[in-house]
Amino acid sequence: MGGLGTRRTDITRDDGTWAGLYLEVRAPRRPGLCLFTAERRVLLARRSQPVLLARVDEDHCGVEFWRTDAHRSPVPPPRAETARALAGDLGRWAHRLASHLLDAPGGPLHEGRWLIAPESPLLRGNHGRRPEAEYWREMLVEGHPDGYIDWFVHNGSWEILPLRPMPDVGDGRVKAYRKQARDGTLPPVLLWWVSGLDCHLVLDGHARLAAAIAESTAPPLLHLHRTAPGDEVAAGTARAVRRYEAELARHAELRAVHGAAVPDGTATAGPTLARRLRELRTASRPSWAWPLPGGAQQWHRVVEDVTSDRSWPGAGRPPA
């Protein structure tokens, strides 16, 4: 199992059902699949190999991107027998994926606190109850090698940006996964929330996502994001405990005046405390990115290398 020194904790809801896998990662300081920034420019690189180039509009209405063919999933393809054994058990899938992510030299995990969870705004976004195929196709950001993430139209919708072209329905993997989608054994798609792009990146499961869309069914998802650092959790925990104690003290004063007919407060204060502590550990925090050595000029040099003789208007002008 990977991640020497990494602490794992299963998070449960009030009813005891599984809500996510909490990871306290000790190393590395900088991941193999790393986000770099230079002003409004972004580079996602896998062990120094460019995977995605992006530039945020000056008016912050969206992001131009150029996708290379360098993405390689940090997770090996699941075997059919594994899919059958873990069918429908997202908690066990999360532990399996965590082990691979912690072992992978080209994964996104770095020191800090992370959550792998089944909850995603994407699963709650189909308010119009449209056919699943229509909804999930709309959530995909299209374009290869270049395209546009539209923040103006899709603000807050948390779209999905595949890191490689989506396979079509004739692809052999998609055909195999469609059968699993029908019989309920389809392994989950692993999404990585990147706040600087305001969208999810598909880390693993492009063909499985395509299969679910082809079958017009909601894909099983696991959602990876950063959570609050230790000092923020400690401070928030102290505040939550003080509120809990103050609420019990208030009820004790009322009981002293009005007698035992007044509840002691634990029935309401206890669940509130539990919810606050759970939210402290699970709420999303902004993605980390590292300054790109060489800054904007280096970003433009990477653009020239990656795009070769193909024109990409989204790159903008190099700095003077």
Side-chain angles (χ1 to χ4, degrees), residues 94-131:
H95 277 275
R96 181 182 184 275
L97 293 173
S99 294
H100 289 303
L101 290 174
L102 290 163
D103 278 336
L109 295 182
H110 55 75
E111 65 175 357
R113 301 180 180 214
W114 298 78
L115 186 72
I116 303 176
E119 294 293 333
S120 170
L122 290 164
L123 298 173
R124 303 188 297 270
N126 191 4
H127 303 300
R129 299 296 184 266
R130 289 169 290 167

PDB file of all heavy atoms in Angstrom, residues 94-131:
ATOM      1  N   ALA A  94     -12.485   4.043  -3.214  1.00  0.00           N
ATOM      2  CA  ALA A  94     -11.698   5.207  -2.790  1.00  0.00           C
ATOM      3  C   ALA A  94     -10.371   4.771  -2.174  1.00  0.00           C
ATOM      4  O   ALA A  94      -9.318   5.364  -2.440  1.00  0.00           O
ATOM      5  CB  ALA A  94     -12.497   6.049  -1.798  1.00  0.00           C
ATOM      6  N   HIS A  95     -10.398   3.731  -1.352  1.00  0.00           N
ATOM      7  CA  HIS A  95      -9.152   3.238  -0.752  1.00  0.00           C
ATOM      8  C   HIS A  95      -8.218   2.693  -1.831  1.00  0.00           C
ATOM      9  O   HIS A  95      -6.997   2.916  -1.778  1.00  0.00           O
ATOM     10  CB  HIS A  95      -9.465   2.156   0.282  1.00  0.00           C
ATOM     11  CG  HIS A  95      -9.839   2.703   1.621  1.00  0.00           C
ATOM     12  ND1 HIS A  95      -8.907   3.052   2.578  1.00  0.00           N
ATOM     13  CD2 HIS A  95     -11.058   2.986   2.164  1.00  0.00           C
ATOM     14  CE1 HIS A  95      -9.522   3.503   3.657  1.00  0.00           C
ATOM     15  NE2 HIS A  95     -10.827   3.478   3.435  1.00  0.00           N
ATOM     16  N   ARG A  96      -8.777   1.995  -2.800  1.00  0.00           N
ATOM     17  CA  ARG A  96      -7.949   1.453  -3.882  1.00  0.00           C
ATOM     18  C   ARG A  96      -7.308   2.587  -4.684  1.00  0.00           C
ATOM     19  O   ARG A  96      -6.105   2.564  -4.969  1.00  0.00           O
ATOM     20  CB  ARG A  96      -8.801   0.572  -4.801  1.00  0.00           C
ATOM     21  CG  ARG A  96      -8.030  -0.055  -5.959  1.00  0.00           C
ATOM     22  CD  ARG A  96      -8.963  -0.873  -6.850  1.00  0.00           C
ATOM     23  NE  ARG A  96      -8.227  -1.562  -7.901  1.00  0.00           N
ATOM     24  CZ  ARG A  96      -7.884  -1.022  -9.063  1.00  0.00           C
ATOM     25  NH1 ARG A  96      -8.200   0.240  -9.328  1.00  0.00           N
ATOM     26  NH2 ARG A  96      -7.215  -1.719  -9.968  1.00  0.00           N
ATOM     27  N   LEU A  97      -8.110   3.590  -5.044  1.00  0.00           N
ATOM     28  CA  LEU A  97      -7.587   4.708  -5.821  1.00  0.00           C
ATOM     29  C   LEU A  97      -6.561   5.504  -5.018  1.00  0.00           C
ATOM     30  O   LEU A  97      -5.551   5.962  -5.566  1.00  0.00           O
ATOM     31  CB  LEU A  97      -8.732   5.610  -6.267  1.00  0.00           C
ATOM     32  CG  LEU A  97      -9.707   4.994  -7.276  1.00  0.00           C
ATOM     33  CD1 LEU A  97     -10.889   5.922  -7.510  1.00  0.00           C
ATOM     34  CD2 LEU A  97      -9.006   4.699  -8.595  1.00  0.00           C
ATOM     35  N   ALA A  98      -6.813   5.675  -3.725  1.00  0.00           N
ATOM     36  CA  ALA A  98      -5.865   6.409  -2.884  1.00  0.00           C
ATOM     37  C   ALA A  98      -4.504   5.723  -2.884  1.00  0.00           C
ATOM     38  O   ALA A  98      -3.456   6.385  -2.967  1.00  0.00           O
ATOM     39  CB  ALA A  98      -6.404   6.524  -1.461  1.00  0.00           C
ATOM     40  N   SER A  99      -4.492   4.403  -2.791  1.00  0.00           N
ATOM     41  CA  SER A  99      -3.220   3.672  -2.795  1.00  0.00           C
ATOM     42  C   SER A  99      -2.454   3.927  -4.088  1.00  0.00           C
ATOM     43  O   SER A  99      -1.243   4.168  -4.080  1.00  0.00           O
ATOM     44  CB  SER A  99      -3.475   2.172  -2.619  1.00  0.00           C
ATOM     45  OG  SER A  99      -4.018   1.902  -1.347  1.00  0.00           O
ATOM     46  N   HIS A 100      -3.159   3.880  -5.211  1.00  0.00           N
ATOM     47  CA  HIS A 100      -2.493   4.116  -6.492  1.00  0.00           C
ATOM     48  C   HIS A 100      -2.019   5.564  -6.617  1.00  0.00           C
ATOM     49  O   HIS A 100      -0.916   5.823  -7.122  1.00  0.00           O
ATOM     50  CB  HIS A 100      -3.432   3.765  -7.642  1.00  0.00           C
ATOM     51  CG  HIS A 100      -3.677   2.297  -7.795  1.00  0.00           C
ATOM     52  ND1 HIS A 100      -2.659   1.388  -7.990  1.00  0.00           N
ATOM     53  CD2 HIS A 100      -4.825   1.569  -7.782  1.00  0.00           C
ATOM     54  CE1 HIS A 100      -3.161   0.167  -8.096  1.00  0.00           C
ATOM     55  NE2 HIS A 100      -4.471   0.249  -7.969  1.00  0.00           N
ATOM     56  N   LEU A 101      -2.842   6.511  -6.173  1.00  0.00           N
ATOM     57  CA  LEU A 101      -2.443   7.916  -6.261  1.00  0.00           C
ATOM     58  C   LEU A 101      -1.216   8.199  -5.398  1.00  0.00           C
ATOM     59  O   LEU A 101      -0.333   8.980  -5.782  1.00  0.00           O
ATOM     60  CB  LEU A 101      -3.599   8.819  -5.831  1.00  0.00           C
ATOM     61  CG  LEU A 101      -4.803   8.893  -6.775  1.00  0.00           C
ATOM     62  CD1 LEU A 101      -5.922   9.706  -6.136  1.00  0.00           C
ATOM     63  CD2 LEU A 101      -4.407   9.507  -8.116  1.00  0.00           C
ATOM     64  N   LEU A 102      -1.164   7.578  -4.236  1.00  0.00           N
ATOM     65  CA  LEU A 102      -0.027   7.797  -3.342  1.00  0.00           C
ATOM     66  C   LEU A 102       1.244   7.152  -3.879  1.00  0.00           C
ATOM     67  O   LEU A 102       2.351   7.622  -3.617  1.00  0.00           O
ATOM     68  CB  LEU A 102      -0.353   7.254  -1.951  1.00  0.00           C
ATOM     69  CG  LEU A 102      -1.412   8.052  -1.179  1.00  0.00           C
ATOM     70  CD1 LEU A 102      -1.967   7.235  -0.023  1.00  0.00           C
ATOM     71  CD2 LEU A 102      -0.831   9.367  -0.671  1.00  0.00           C
ATOM     72  N   ASP A 103       1.089   6.078  -4.635  1.00  0.00           N
ATOM     73  CA  ASP A 103       2.246   5.395  -5.220  1.00  0.00           C
ATOM     74  C   ASP A 103       2.712   6.036  -6.524  1.00  0.00           C
ATOM     75  O   ASP A 103       3.876   5.909  -6.902  1.00  0.00           O
ATOM     76  CB  ASP A 103       1.909   3.925  -5.503  1.00  0.00           C
ATOM     77  CG  ASP A 103       2.031   3.057  -4.261  1.00  0.00           C
ATOM     78  OD1 ASP A 103       2.768   3.445  -3.343  1.00  0.00           O
ATOM     79  OD2 ASP A 103       1.379   1.996  -4.213  1.00  0.00           O
ATOM     80  N   ALA A 104       1.794   6.694  -7.219  1.00  0.00           N
ATOM     81  CA  ALA A 104       2.081   7.152  -8.582  1.00  0.00           C
ATOM     82  C   ALA A 104       3.072   8.312  -8.588  1.00  0.00           C
ATOM     83  O   ALA A 104       2.853   9.318  -7.905  1.00  0.00           O
ATOM     84  CB  ALA A 104       0.785   7.580  -9.264  1.00  0.00           C
ATOM     85  N   PRO A 105       4.143   8.217  -9.380  1.00  0.00           N
ATOM     86  CA  PRO A 105       5.067   9.355  -9.488  1.00  0.00           C
ATOM     87  C   PRO A 105       4.465  10.521 -10.265  1.00  0.00           C
ATOM     88  O   PRO A 105       4.955  11.643 -10.164  1.00  0.00           O
ATOM     89  CB  PRO A 105       6.267   8.758 -10.225  1.00  0.00           C
ATOM     90  CG  PRO A 105       5.703   7.609 -11.000  1.00  0.00           C
ATOM     91  CD  PRO A 105       4.596   7.055 -10.165  1.00  0.00           C
ATOM     92  N   GLY A 106       3.402  10.255 -11.034  1.00  0.00           N
ATOM     93  CA  GLY A 106       2.776  11.313 -11.821  1.00  0.00           C
ATOM     94  C   GLY A 106       1.383  11.651 -11.346  1.00  0.00           C
ATOM     95  O   GLY A 106       0.510  11.991 -12.150  1.00  0.00           O
ATOM     96  N   GLY A 107       1.155  11.596 -10.039  1.00  0.00           N
ATOM     97  CA  GLY A 107      -0.154  11.915  -9.482  1.00  0.00           C
ATOM     98  C   GLY A 107      -0.211  13.321  -8.913  1.00  0.00           C
ATOM     99  O   GLY A 107       0.814  13.990  -8.757  1.00  0.00           O
ATOM    100  N   PRO A 108      -1.407  13.803  -8.548  1.00  0.00           N
ATOM    101  CA  PRO A 108      -1.562  15.190  -8.088  1.00  0.00           C
ATOM    102  C   PRO A 108      -1.413  15.399  -6.587  1.00  0.00           C
ATOM    103  O   PRO A 108      -1.407  16.538  -6.127  1.00  0.00           O
ATOM    104  CB  PRO A 108      -2.995  15.516  -8.514  1.00  0.00           C
ATOM    105  CG  PRO A 108      -3.712  14.210  -8.354  1.00  0.00           C
ATOM    106  CD  PRO A 108      -2.710  13.145  -8.748  1.00  0.00           C
ATOM    107  N   LEU A 109      -1.308  14.311  -5.794  1.00  0.00           N
ATOM    108  CA  LEU A 109      -1.274  14.478  -4.342  1.00  0.00           C
ATOM    109  C   LEU A 109       0.052  15.076  -3.884  1.00  0.00           C
ATOM    110  O   LEU A 109       1.123  14.680  -4.343  1.00  0.00           O
ATOM    111  CB  LEU A 109      -1.491  13.136  -3.644  1.00  0.00           C
ATOM    112  CG  LEU A 109      -2.854  12.466  -3.834  1.00  0.00           C
ATOM    113  CD1 LEU A 109      -2.919  11.175  -3.031  1.00  0.00           C
ATOM    114  CD2 LEU A 109      -3.991  13.397  -3.446  1.00  0.00           C
ATOM    115  N   HIS A 110      -0.049  16.026  -2.976  1.00  0.00           N
ATOM    116  CA  HIS A 110       1.123  16.611  -2.326  1.00  0.00           C
ATOM    117  C   HIS A 110       0.805  16.759  -0.849  1.00  0.00           C
ATOM    118  O   HIS A 110      -0.324  16.487  -0.408  1.00  0.00           O
ATOM    119  CB  HIS A 110       1.484  17.963  -2.954  1.00  0.00           C
ATOM    120  CG  HIS A 110       0.356  18.949  -2.969  1.00  0.00           C
ATOM    121  ND1 HIS A 110      -0.064  19.630  -1.844  1.00  0.00           N
ATOM    122  CD2 HIS A 110      -0.461  19.361  -3.983  1.00  0.00           C
ATOM    123  CE1 HIS A 110      -1.077  20.425  -2.155  1.00  0.00           C
ATOM    124  NE2 HIS A 110      -1.347  20.277  -3.441  1.00  0.00           N
ATOM    125  N   GLU A 111       1.774  17.182  -0.070  1.00  0.00           N
ATOM    126  CA  GLU A 111       1.560  17.268   1.371  1.00  0.00           C
ATOM    127  C   GLU A 111       0.362  18.167   1.670  1.00  0.00           C
ATOM    128  O   GLU A 111       0.148  19.197   1.032  1.00  0.00           O
ATOM    129  CB  GLU A 111       2.812  17.800   2.067  1.00  0.00           C
ATOM    130  CG  GLU A 111       3.184  19.222   1.709  1.00  0.00           C
ATOM    131  CD  GLU A 111       4.362  19.723   2.529  1.00  0.00           C
ATOM    132  OE1 GLU A 111       4.838  18.980   3.411  1.00  0.00           O
ATOM    133  OE2 GLU A 111       4.797  20.860   2.290  1.00  0.00           O
ATOM    134  N   GLY A 112      -0.418  17.731   2.623  1.00  0.00           N
ATOM    135  CA  GLY A 112      -1.629  18.455   2.966  1.00  0.00           C
ATOM    136  C   GLY A 112      -2.768  17.484   3.203  1.00  0.00           C
ATOM    137  O   GLY A 112      -2.566  16.276   3.347  1.00  0.00           O
ATOM    138  N   ARG A 113      -3.965  18.012   3.231  1.00  0.00           N
ATOM    139  CA  ARG A 113      -5.150  17.213   3.536  1.00  0.00           C
ATOM    140  C   ARG A 113      -6.075  17.184   2.330  1.00  0.00           C
ATOM    141  O   ARG A 113      -6.333  18.219   1.715  1.00  0.00           O
ATOM    142  CB  ARG A 113      -5.850  17.789   4.767  1.00  0.00           C
ATOM    143  CG  ARG A 113      -4.927  17.792   5.981  1.00  0.00           C
ATOM    144  CD  ARG A 113      -5.584  18.346   7.221  1.00  0.00           C
ATOM    145  NE  ARG A 113      -4.632  18.320   8.332  1.00  0.00           N
ATOM    146  CZ  ARG A 113      -4.961  18.097   9.596  1.00  0.00           C
ATOM    147  NH1 ARG A 113      -6.218  17.889   9.928  1.00  0.00           N
ATOM    148  NH2 ARG A 113      -4.037  18.083  10.537  1.00  0.00           N
ATOM    149  N   TRP A 114      -6.558  15.990   2.033  1.00  0.00           N
ATOM    150  CA  TRP A 114      -7.349  15.749   0.836  1.00  0.00           C
ATOM    151  C   TRP A 114      -8.581  14.928   1.184  1.00  0.00           C
ATOM    152  O   TRP A 114      -8.610  14.229   2.199  1.00  0.00           O
ATOM    153  CB  TRP A 114      -6.530  14.974  -0.198  1.00  0.00           C
ATOM    154  CG  TRP A 114      -5.315  15.675  -0.702  1.00  0.00           C
ATOM    155  CD1 TRP A 114      -4.109  15.801  -0.066  1.00  0.00           C
ATOM    156  CD2 TRP A 114      -5.169  16.354  -1.957  1.00  0.00           C
ATOM    157  NE1 TRP A 114      -3.230  16.510  -0.848  1.00  0.00           N
ATOM    158  CE2 TRP A 114      -3.852  16.856  -2.014  1.00  0.00           C
ATOM    159  CE3 TRP A 114      -6.025  16.561  -3.040  1.00  0.00           C
ATOM    160  CZ2 TRP A 114      -3.373  17.568  -3.109  1.00  0.00           C
ATOM    161  CZ3 TRP A 114      -5.548  17.266  -4.136  1.00  0.00           C
ATOM    162  CH2 TRP A 114      -4.235  17.765  -4.165  1.00  0.00           C
ATOM    163  N   LEU A 115      -9.554  14.999   0.304  1.00  0.00           N
ATOM    164  CA  LEU A 115     -10.745  14.174   0.455  1.00  0.00           C
ATOM    165  C   LEU A 115     -11.077  13.532  -0.887  1.00  0.00           C
ATOM    166  O   LEU A 115     -11.049  14.196  -1.927  1.00  0.00           O
ATOM    167  CB  LEU A 115     -11.943  15.016   0.919  1.00  0.00           C
ATOM    168  CG  LEU A 115     -13.214  14.220   1.240  1.00  0.00           C
ATOM    169  CD1 LEU A 115     -13.042  13.445   2.544  1.00  0.00           C
ATOM    170  CD2 LEU A 115     -14.426  15.135   1.325  1.00  0.00           C
ATOM    171  N   ILE A 116     -11.358  12.242  -0.846  1.00  0.00           N
ATOM    172  CA  ILE A 116     -11.930  11.529  -1.989  1.00  0.00           C
ATOM    173  C   ILE A 116     -13.360  11.192  -1.594  1.00  0.00           C
ATOM    174  O   ILE A 116     -13.584  10.424  -0.657  1.00  0.00           O
ATOM    175  CB  ILE A 116     -11.151  10.247  -2.327  1.00  0.00           C
ATOM    176  CG1 ILE A 116      -9.680  10.561  -2.598  1.00  0.00           C
ATOM    177  CG2 ILE A 116     -11.770   9.550  -3.529  1.00  0.00           C
ATOM    178  CD1 ILE A 116      -8.824   9.327  -2.850  1.00  0.00           C
ATOM    179  N   ALA A 117     -14.321  11.789  -2.282  1.00  0.00           N
ATOM    180  CA  ALA A 117     -15.708  11.691  -1.830  1.00  0.00           C
ATOM    181  C   ALA A 117     -16.653  11.398  -2.984  1.00  0.00           C
ATOM    182  O   ALA A 117     -16.373  11.749  -4.134  1.00  0.00           O
ATOM    183  CB  ALA A 117     -16.128  12.993  -1.140  1.00  0.00           C
ATOM    184  N   PRO A 118     -17.787  10.768  -2.681  1.00  0.00           N
ATOM    185  CA  PRO A 118     -18.786  10.512  -3.721  1.00  0.00           C
ATOM    186  C   PRO A 118     -19.683  11.704  -3.984  1.00  0.00           C
ATOM    187  O   PRO A 118     -20.402  11.730  -4.979  1.00  0.00           O
ATOM    188  CB  PRO A 118     -19.589   9.344  -3.136  1.00  0.00           C
ATOM    189  CG  PRO A 118     -19.531   9.573  -1.659  1.00  0.00           C
ATOM    190  CD  PRO A 118     -18.165  10.156  -1.390  1.00  0.00           C
ATOM    191  N   GLU A 119     -19.664  12.696  -3.082  1.00  0.00           N
ATOM    192  CA  GLU A 119     -20.516  13.863  -3.253  1.00  0.00           C
ATOM    193  C   GLU A 119     -19.891  14.820  -4.260  1.00  0.00           C
ATOM    194  O   GLU A 119     -18.700  15.116  -4.196  1.00  0.00           O
ATOM    195  CB  GLU A 119     -20.709  14.585  -1.917  1.00  0.00           C
ATOM    196  CG  GLU A 119     -21.478  13.778  -0.888  1.00  0.00           C
ATOM    197  CD  GLU A 119     -22.921  13.564  -1.287  1.00  0.00           C
ATOM    198  OE1 GLU A 119     -23.470  14.401  -2.026  1.00  0.00           O
ATOM    199  OE2 GLU A 119     -23.507  12.548  -0.870  1.00  0.00           O
ATOM    200  N   SER A 120     -20.690  15.298  -5.193  1.00  0.00           N
ATOM    201  CA  SER A 120     -20.221  16.264  -6.176  1.00  0.00           C
ATOM    202  C   SER A 120     -21.395  17.124  -6.612  1.00  0.00           C
ATOM    203  O   SER A 120     -22.503  16.605  -6.799  1.00  0.00           O
ATOM    204  CB  SER A 120     -19.621  15.558  -7.395  1.00  0.00           C
ATOM    205  OG  SER A 120     -19.369  16.490  -8.433  1.00  0.00           O
ATOM    206  N   PRO A 121     -21.171  18.438  -6.776  1.00  0.00           N
ATOM    207  CA  PRO A 121     -22.247  19.282  -7.305  1.00  0.00           C
ATOM    208  C   PRO A 121     -22.761  18.797  -8.655  1.00  0.00           C
ATOM    209  O   PRO A 121     -23.908  19.067  -9.023  1.00  0.00           O
ATOM    210  CB  PRO A 121     -21.581  20.656  -7.428  1.00  0.00           C
ATOM    211  CG  PRO A 121     -20.453  20.628  -6.468  1.00  0.00           C
ATOM    212  CD  PRO A 121     -19.965  19.211  -6.464  1.00  0.00           C
ATOM    213  N   LEU A 122     -21.929  18.076  -9.396  1.00  0.00           N
ATOM    214  CA  LEU A 122     -22.355  17.562 -10.697  1.00  0.00           C
ATOM    215  C   LEU A 122     -23.557  16.634 -10.571  1.00  0.00           C
ATOM    216  O   LEU A 122     -24.421  16.593 -11.447  1.00  0.00           O
ATOM    217  CB  LEU A 122     -21.202  16.809 -11.359  1.00  0.00           C
ATOM    218  CG  LEU A 122     -20.027  17.658 -11.840  1.00  0.00           C
ATOM    219  CD1 LEU A 122     -18.816  16.781 -12.099  1.00  0.00           C
ATOM    220  CD2 LEU A 122     -20.410  18.431 -13.087  1.00  0.00           C
ATOM    221  N   LEU A 123     -23.601  15.893  -9.477  1.00  0.00           N
ATOM    222  CA  LEU A 123     -24.692  14.935  -9.290  1.00  0.00           C
ATOM    223  C   LEU A 123     -25.989  15.619  -8.886  1.00  0.00           C
ATOM    224  O   LEU A 123     -27.051  14.999  -8.919  1.00  0.00           O
ATOM    225  CB  LEU A 123     -24.291  13.898  -8.237  1.00  0.00           C
ATOM    226  CG  LEU A 123     -23.076  13.032  -8.594  1.00  0.00           C
ATOM    227  CD1 LEU A 123     -22.664  12.176  -7.407  1.00  0.00           C
ATOM    228  CD2 LEU A 123     -23.385  12.156  -9.800  1.00  0.00           C
ATOM    229  N   ARG A 124     -25.889  16.890  -8.491  1.00  0.00           N
ATOM    230  CA  ARG A 124     -27.089  17.633  -8.091  1.00  0.00           C
ATOM    231  C   ARG A 124     -27.474  18.698  -9.110  1.00  0.00           C
ATOM    232  O   ARG A 124     -28.392  19.478  -8.871  1.00  0.00           O
ATOM    233  CB  ARG A 124     -26.850  18.302  -6.732  1.00  0.00           C
ATOM    234  CG  ARG A 124     -26.468  17.342  -5.623  1.00  0.00           C
ATOM    235  CD  ARG A 124     -26.438  18.038  -4.275  1.00  0.00           C
ATOM    236  NE  ARG A 124     -25.421  19.085  -4.208  1.00  0.00           N
ATOM    237  CZ  ARG A 124     -24.170  18.878  -3.816  1.00  0.00           C
ATOM    238  NH1 ARG A 124     -23.768  17.662  -3.484  1.00  0.00           N
ATOM    239  NH2 ARG A 124     -23.296  19.874  -3.761  1.00  0.00           N
ATOM    240  N   GLY A 125     -26.755  18.746 -10.233  1.00  0.00           N
ATOM    241  CA  GLY A 125     -26.930  19.857 -11.159  1.00  0.00           C
ATOM    242  C   GLY A 125     -28.000  19.684 -12.207  1.00  0.00           C
ATOM    243  O   GLY A 125     -28.343  20.647 -12.897  1.00  0.00           O
ATOM    244  N   ASN A 126     -28.542  18.489 -12.343  1.00  0.00           N
ATOM    245  CA  ASN A 126     -29.522  18.246 -13.403  1.00  0.00           C
ATOM    246  C   ASN A 126     -30.918  18.632 -12.919  1.00  0.00           C
ATOM    247  O   ASN A 126     -31.811  17.796 -12.764  1.00  0.00           O
ATOM    248  CB  ASN A 126     -29.483  16.778 -13.829  1.00  0.00           C
ATOM    249  CG  ASN A 126     -30.275  16.519 -15.102  1.00  0.00           C
ATOM    250  OD1 ASN A 126     -30.795  17.440 -15.720  1.00  0.00           O
ATOM    251  ND2 ASN A 126     -30.364  15.256 -15.487  1.00  0.00           N
ATOM    252  N   HIS A 127     -31.106  19.937 -12.708  1.00  0.00           N
ATOM    253  CA  HIS A 127     -32.369  20.405 -12.133  1.00  0.00           C
ATOM    254  C   HIS A 127     -33.544  20.208 -13.084  1.00  0.00           C
ATOM    255  O   HIS A 127     -34.673  20.016 -12.647  1.00  0.00           O
ATOM    256  CB  HIS A 127     -32.258  21.883 -11.754  1.00  0.00           C
ATOM    257  CG  HIS A 127     -31.147  22.180 -10.800  1.00  0.00           C
ATOM    258  ND1 HIS A 127     -31.076  21.619  -9.544  1.00  0.00           N
ATOM    259  CD2 HIS A 127     -30.040  22.967 -10.923  1.00  0.00           C
ATOM    260  CE1 HIS A 127     -29.987  22.052  -8.921  1.00  0.00           C
ATOM    261  NE2 HIS A 127     -29.342  22.866  -9.738  1.00  0.00           N
ATOM    262  N   GLY A 128     -33.274  20.279 -14.378  1.00  0.00           N
ATOM    263  CA  GLY A 128     -34.356  20.138 -15.339  1.00  0.00           C
ATOM    264  C   GLY A 128     -34.746  18.704 -15.611  1.00  0.00           C
ATOM    265  O   GLY A 128     -35.641  18.435 -16.411  1.00  0.00           O
ATOM    266  N   ARG A 129     -34.053  17.775 -14.920  1.00  0.00           N
ATOM    267  CA  ARG A 129     -34.329  16.352 -15.109  1.00  0.00           C
ATOM    268  C   ARG A 129     -34.238  15.960 -16.584  1.00  0.00           C
ATOM    269  O   ARG A 129     -35.055  15.216 -17.101  1.00  0.00           O
ATOM    270  CB  ARG A 129     -35.700  15.987 -14.539  1.00  0.00           C
ATOM    271  CG  ARG A 129     -35.838  16.239 -13.050  1.00  0.00           C
ATOM    272  CD  ARG A 129     -34.888  15.345 -12.262  1.00  0.00           C
ATOM    273  NE  ARG A 129     -35.076  15.504 -10.817  1.00  0.00           N
ATOM    274  CZ  ARG A 129     -34.369  16.327 -10.057  1.00  0.00           C
ATOM    275  NH1 ARG A 129     -33.438  17.086 -10.616  1.00  0.00           N
ATOM    276  NH2 ARG A 129     -34.565  16.403  -8.759  1.00  0.00           N
ATOM    277  N   ARG A 130     -33.220  16.513 -17.244  1.00  0.00           N
ATOM    278  CA  ARG A 130     -32.999  16.147 -18.639  1.00  0.00           C
ATOM    279  C   ARG A 130     -32.473  14.722 -18.721  1.00  0.00           C
ATOM    280  O   ARG A 130     -31.987  14.181 -17.725  1.00  0.00           O
ATOM    281  CB  ARG A 130     -31.988  17.107 -19.264  1.00  0.00           C
ATOM    282  CG  ARG A 130     -32.512  18.514 -19.481  1.00  0.00           C
ATOM    283  CD  ARG A 130     -31.382  19.447 -19.847  1.00  0.00           C
ATOM    284  NE  ARG A 130     -30.499  19.670 -18.717  1.00  0.00           N
ATOM    285  CZ  ARG A 130     -29.292  20.231 -18.809  1.00  0.00           C
ATOM    286  NH1 ARG A 130     -28.822  20.573 -19.987  1.00  0.00           N
ATOM    287  NH2 ARG A 130     -28.558  20.414 -17.736  1.00  0.00           N
ATOM    288  N   PRO A 131     -32.530  14.105 -19.891  1.00  0.00           N
ATOM    289  CA  PRO A 131     -31.905  12.790 -20.038  1.00  0.00           C
ATOM    290  C   PRO A 131     -30.444  12.858 -19.605  1.00  0.00           C
ATOM    291  O   PRO A 131     -29.747  13.843 -19.868  1.00  0.00           O
ATOM    292  CB  PRO A 131     -32.047  12.504 -21.535  1.00  0.00           C
ATOM    293  CG  PRO A 131     -33.235  13.301 -21.967  1.00  0.00           C
ATOM    294  CD  PRO A 131     -33.205  14.551 -21.135  1.00  0.00           C
TER     295      PRO A 131
END
